[in-house]
Amino acid sequence: MPYIGPSFLLSQLGAFAADGFAARLTALDLAPQHAGLLRMIVATGDHPLTQNALGQRFGVPASRLVPLLDHLESGGLVERRTNPADRRSNLLFATPAGVAMLGRIESLTHALEAELLASLTASDRAALEGLLRTLAGSLGLVPGVHPAYRALEDAP
Amino acid sequence: MPYIGPSFLLSQLGAFAADGFAARLTALDLAPQHAGLLRMIVATGDHPLTQNALGQRFGVPASRLVPLLDHLESGGLVERRTNPADRRSNLLFATPAGVAMLGRIESLTHALEAELLASLTASDRAALEGLLRTLAGSLGLVPGVHPAYRALEDAP
DNA sequence: TATTGTTATACTCTATAACTATA
DNA sequence: TATAGTTATAGAGTATAACAATA
C-alpha cells in the first residue's frame, strides 16, 4: 500500500469540497469564481475597488475579469460605475440583489460544511478549523483568495 | 469581513498543496497525473491492470490515458505488454526505474509536507492527519485517487 | 506617452467520436 | 457483433497581444 500523506489528503479533500461547492452554485447560475469576486466586492463596499485593483488582488488578468464581471452585472448583482476621479476606470458596487445572493451563497456553504464534516464531533470540527486556519495563516494565504485564480508566475 | 469556513480553507490549502506538488514534480519531468498513475501501477505490481481497468479506477477516459502512459513509457518508468490472455489489451508493469522514481516522488512529498506543516507541533500534525483521514474515509474518497481525474457525470 | 478596460487571436487541455485489431 | 486501445476532431477555458478611450 503506497504512502498517502496529509498533503495528498488535503488536496483530495480540498478538490472534493470545491467540486461540491461548484455543483451547488450552478443552481444559482454562478461559478466559484463569481462567488469569490462577489464576496470581495461586497466586503469592500465602502471603499469600492476598480477592476484593476480587484484583478491584482486575485491575481487574475484583466481580460479574464471582464466576462466574469459581465456575468455578475447581467444578473443584476454588481454594477460598474465610471470612476469620477479617473474616467478610464470603473468602480465596482454590489447591488442589494448582490448582497442577498451572497447571503444565499453563505447558507449554501454552511449546508455543504455540515455534510462534509458530518463524521466529526463538534470539538473535532473546531479543532480541524483551528488547524486549517493556522496553516493558511502561516503559509501566507490571503483570506478569501483561492489559488486557482492565480496565474503562473515566471522566475526572473 | 465575510465568513470563511472550513470548506473554503480545505479547498484553498488543498489547491496550494497541489500547486506545490506540481511545481516540484516538474524537476522530475512529470505531472501530478503521471505520479498518481505510476503509484497505482507500482501498487498493483503483482496483479497488473489493463489500461481499461486503470482508467476506470481513476475515472479517466481511455483516450486521455494514452498520452499519459506514453509519457511514462517513453521515460522508461512503465511498460505496456500485450495481455497473452486477450491480445486486444495491454497489461501495465512498472520498471525498476519506475519504482525508483516513485521513491523519489515520495521523498519529495515528505519534504513538501515538512514545509506545509512547519507551523504545527508534532502532535498537531498527527491530529490534523487523523482528522483528514477520518473525513476522507467517511466521504468515500478512494485512497490515492484524486477527484481531478474524474470526469463529469450526467444525471440520468 | 502611459494606463484602464475591452476585444481578438492563439494555445492548451479535454472529451466525443471515428478507426484498427483482436475476440 | 462487441471490446481494447489508438487517433482525429471539436469544444471549453485561458492567456497574450492588439485596440479604444482617457489621462
Side-chain angles (χ1 to χ4, degrees):
Chain A
M1 186 77 103
Y3 168 75
I4 302 286
S7 67
F8 184 86
L9 289 166
L10 264 182
S11 173
Q12 191 184 29
L13 284 162
F16 185 81
D19 288 350
F21 183 60
R24 287 155 184 266
L25 270 184
T26 59
L28 303 178
D29 191 31
L30 293 176
Q33 304 166 327
H34 299 122
L37 295 176
L38 176 61
R39 180 169 51 195
M40 187 65 76
I41 292 169
V42 170
T44 59
D46 37 357
H47 292 292
L49 298 170
T50 64
Q51 294 188 200
N52 226 352
L54 182 65
Q56 282 187 342
R57 191 165 299 201
F58 280 93
V60 313
S63 66
R64 190 171 156 198
L65 208 54
V66 172
L68 291 170
L69 291 174
D70 286 349
H71 185 81
L72 290 172
E73 196 168 31
S74 76
L77 308 177
V78 158
E79 270 182 28
R80 288 187 250 222
R81 298 188 205 153
T82 303
N83 183 357
D86 180 347
R87 300 175 33 79
R88 289 175 300 183
S89 60
N90 295 328
L91 296 178
L92 299 168
F93 295 87
T95 67
V99 176
M101 179 63 86
L102 183 60
R104 254 177 285 169
I105 293 169
E106 293 198 350
S107 68
L108 172 156
T109 302
H110 287 294
L112 174 66
E113 284 168 353
E115 282 190 25
L116 288 176
L117 306 180
S119 62
L120 299 184
T121 66
S123 74
D124 277 350
R125 289 181 212 188
L128 175 65
E129 186 165 343
L131 291 166
L132 295 177
R133 257 182 231 291
T134 299
L135 281 183
S138 73
L139 296 170
L141 298 179
V142 181
V145 176
H146 195 283
Y149 285 102
R150 288 259 147 77
L152 305 172
E153 282 138 39
D154 304 337
Chain B
M1 185 79 102
Y3 169 75
I4 303 286
S7 67
F8 185 85
L9 289 166
L10 265 182
S11 173
Q12 191 185 28
L13 285 162
F16 184 82
D19 288 349
F21 183 60
R24 287 155 183 266
L25 270 184
T26 59
L28 303 178
D29 192 31
L30 292 176
Q33 304 166 325
H34 299 122
L37 295 176
L38 176 61
R39 179 168 52 193
M40 188 65 76
I41 292 169
V42 171
T44 59
D46 38 356
H47 292 292
L49 298 169
T50 64
Q51 293 186 202
N52 225 351
L54 182 65
Q56 282 186 343
R57 192 166 299 202
F58 279 92
V60 314
S63 66
R64 190 172 157 198
L65 208 53
V66 171
L68 291 170
L69 291 173
D70 286 349
H71 185 80
L72 289 172
E73 197 168 30
S74 75
L77 308 177
V78 159
E79 271 183 26
R80 289 185 249 223
R81 298 187 204 154
T82 305
N83 183 358
D86 181 346
R87 300 175 33 78
R88 290 174 300 184
S89 60
N90 295 328
L91 296 179
L92 299 169
F93 295 87
T95 66
V99 175
M101 179 64 86
L102 183 60
R104 254 177 286 169
I105 293 169
E106 293 198 351
S107 68
L108 173 157
T109 302
H110 286 294
L112 173 67
E113 284 168 355
E115 282 190 26
L116 288 175
L117 306 180
S119 63
L120 298 185
T121 66
S123 75
D124 276 350
R125 289 181 210 187
L128 175 65
E129 186 166 342
L131 291 167
L132 295 177
R133 258 182 230 290
T134 298
L135 281 183
S138 73
L139 296 169
L141 299 180
V142 181
V145 176
H146 196 283
Y149 284 103
R150 288 261 148 80
L152 304 172
E153 282 138 40
D154 305 334

